[in-house]
Amino acid sequence: MKRKTTLSPPPLTLLDKYHGHGPQTLYSTTVTVIGGKARHGRASGVARSDDGQLSLELRLPKALGGPGGGTNPEQLFAAGYAACFHGALSLLAARAAIPIPGAAVDVTVDFGRDPMDGLFLLTAHTRVRLPGVERVAAEELVRNTERFCPYTKMARQGIENVVALVESGDEARTEPNNMNDSNNISNLGDFRDANESHGKDPT
Amino acid sequence: MDDKLHAPPLSLLDRYRGREFQPLYTTTVTVSGGETGHGRASGVARSDDGNLVVDLRLPTEFGGPGNGTNPEQLFAAGFAACFHGALNLLGKRGGMAIGGIVVEVEVSFGRDPMDGGYALVIDVRVKMPDVERRVAEELVRNAERLCPYAKMARQGTVNIVAVVD
């Protein structure tokens, strides 16, 4: 197998503590999703990054009633989380001079129903394989990685997240095409109601 | 084959009344380090069903060659796709014309002044050219509540890390 020689890990100085007073952006990227045939991002969407390096078709997996054959948000999140965790683990191991050949990170993401608000919830389970590394050292590495990887931090405590509507139709041009009393926008919040009877859980 | 492509049913918007977390879909992605042993620099991410297989590379901002993807792009793609789907379902239930929805998610990776480590910042930008502004704003507000990626960004989520061998 041919090896490229241009690849190298980032410098260990990434492990230095940052002393600035404000946030400092090191890298920023934008991914755009359109809906495709079914006009639904998960069912038939396309995701494309600004630099063109990521370009993927999205499909509903069979478990959610789709054909499979494409990726989905849970796989993408699991991949991003696992990749960052793997990188952080490698840097910390390099600094500690612990060789970790064959290190692998599995992230399992569940998409499911949230009993607290009746809506949806993600769970992330991360399993780290460090063959040949003594258990005590492996556990300490993983503990430190959890503090260092910003995906773990997000999963623990949330992050700064701004959502904005940047383009919409004008008032005159658009009318919802079939508004009526039983199915209109003011009812979109009906999943917010928490004060309903809880006595009939489905079996 | 494309005939199979349809949005999920509107019944997904029904409130769940169970007492436990109910998984609807579970997937596992494995990342190995590749040539440099570093997941971000030369890793491969592979899903259990083989539908996602991507090479990971450091972007040029980090001194890498850039010809691969990275965690920030993958996360942005997942967040945007889920948010798009939530908007589609909510719009459909409200009887809106929802043809041209575009969701852009910008993820920034940077230094966190609070703990001296790293943090992510997410900007979600929604375009709904066919929907009146007032209605569009309400749809976006509801999608923020419905989409579990927005929920995770707001409050974190269930997260367990273990060494398995």
Side-chain angles (χ1 to χ4, degrees):
Chain A
M1 187 168 132
K2 274 231 159 79
R3 298 218 144 188
K4 288 186 209 146
T5 51
T6 53
L7 300 180
S8 52
L12 286 181
T13 52
L14 280 180
L15 296 174
D16 295 346
K17 192 164 180 181
Y18 171 65
H19 292 290
H21 292 295
Q24 179 191 38
T25 298
L26 300 175
Y27 171 62
S28 222
T29 186
T30 300
V31 175
T32 302
V33 168
I34 56 172
K37 180 164 184 279
R39 302 189 297 182
H40 186 281
R42 275 184 183 264
S44 58
V46 176
R48 207 179 298 274
S49 63
D50 46 10
D51 63 2
Q53 294 294 338
L54 184 75
S55 182
L56 296 168
E57 295 207 330
L58 295 143
R59 294 289 181 270
L60 287 174
K62 292 198 171 77
L64 296 176
T71 190
N72 56 65
E74 287 65 45
Q75 289 185 349
L76 292 163
F77 172 48
Y81 188 154
C84 185
F85 202 92
H86 191 291
L89 187 68
S90 305
L91 278 186
L92 288 164
R95 186 173 63 175
I98 300 171
I100 54 166
V105 177
D106 294 342
V107 172
T108 299
V109 173
D110 285 304
F111 170 83
R113 304 301 312 242
D114 183 344
M116 293 298 289
D117 61 5
L119 300 177
F120 294 91
L121 182 69
L122 302 170
T123 71
H125 288 246
T126 304
R127 290 185 299 277
V128 181
R129 286 178 274 156
L130 288 167
V133 181
E134 187 200 336
R135 178 107 203 154
V136 175
E139 283 178 350
E140 177 150 5
L141 272 178
V142 170
R143 253 197 320 273
N144 287 327
T145 306
E146 280 192 81
R147 304 164 50 91
F148 188 58
C149 167
Y151 291 84
T152 314
K153 187 192 272 186
M154 169 175 66
R156 193 167 56 236
Q157 67 191 42
I159 52 172
E160 188 179 334
N161 174 37
V162 178
V163 179
L165 177 66
V166 295
E167 184 184 337
S168 61
D170 53 62
E171 304 283 323
R173 190 165 58 119
T174 57
E175 273 301 311
N177 58 16
N178 91 45
M179 277 238 187
N180 59 57
D181 288 340
S182 65
N183 195 28
N184 77 27
I185 187 75
S186 65
N187 287 337
L188 284 176
D190 63 2
F191 53 68
R192 288 183 283 203
D193 293 338
N195 53 354
E196 297 162 293
S197 164
H198 287 268
K200 10 179 212 258
D201 291 338
T203 50
Chain B
M1 203 168 110
D2 268 7
D3 295 343
K4 288 191 200 156
L5 299 182
H6 50 80
L10 287 180
S11 57
L12 272 183
L13 296 177
D14 295 345
R15 190 162 174 270
Y16 170 66
R17 294 172 196 285
R19 295 177 192 278
E20 307 283 339
F21 175 67
Q22 180 190 43
L24 300 176
Y25 170 60
T26 300
T27 187
T28 299
V29 175
T30 299
V31 168
S32 52
E35 184 190 330
T36 70
H38 185 104
R40 274 185 183 264
S42 57
V44 176
R46 199 182 302 270
S47 63
D48 45 9
D49 63 3
N51 282 323
L52 182 71
V53 181
V54 288
D55 283 331
L56 297 148
R57 294 290 181 270
L58 290 174
T60 50
E61 287 86 339
F62 284 131
N67 58 340
T69 191
N70 55 65
E72 287 65 44
Q73 290 185 347
L74 292 162
F75 177 53
F79 194 137
C82 186
F83 205 88
H84 191 289
L87 280 171
N88 168 283
L89 283 186
L90 289 164
K92 203 181 288 174
R93 186 171 70 170
M96 314 298 147
I98 44 167
I101 298 176
V102 176
V103 178
E104 290 176 1
V105 173
E106 179 175 10
V107 174
S108 298
F109 173 90
R111 305 299 314 238
D112 184 342
M114 293 299 288
D115 63 5
Y118 291 88
L120 302 170
V121 175
I122 303 183
D123 274 288
V124 180
R125 294 187 287 271
V126 178
K127 298 178 188 173
M128 289 195 280
D130 298 333
V131 181
E132 180 196 335
R133 174 132 205 126
R134 182 183 55 84
V135 176
E137 281 177 351
E138 180 146 5
L139 280 176
V140 171
R141 258 198 312 275
N142 282 310
E144 281 191 81
R145 306 178 58 91
L146 188 64
C147 167
Y149 292 84
K151 182 190 274 185
M152 171 172 64
R154 194 164 55 237
Q155 67 190 41
T157 194
V158 180
N159 176 44
I160 295 164
V161 179
V163 184
V164 295
D165 83 45

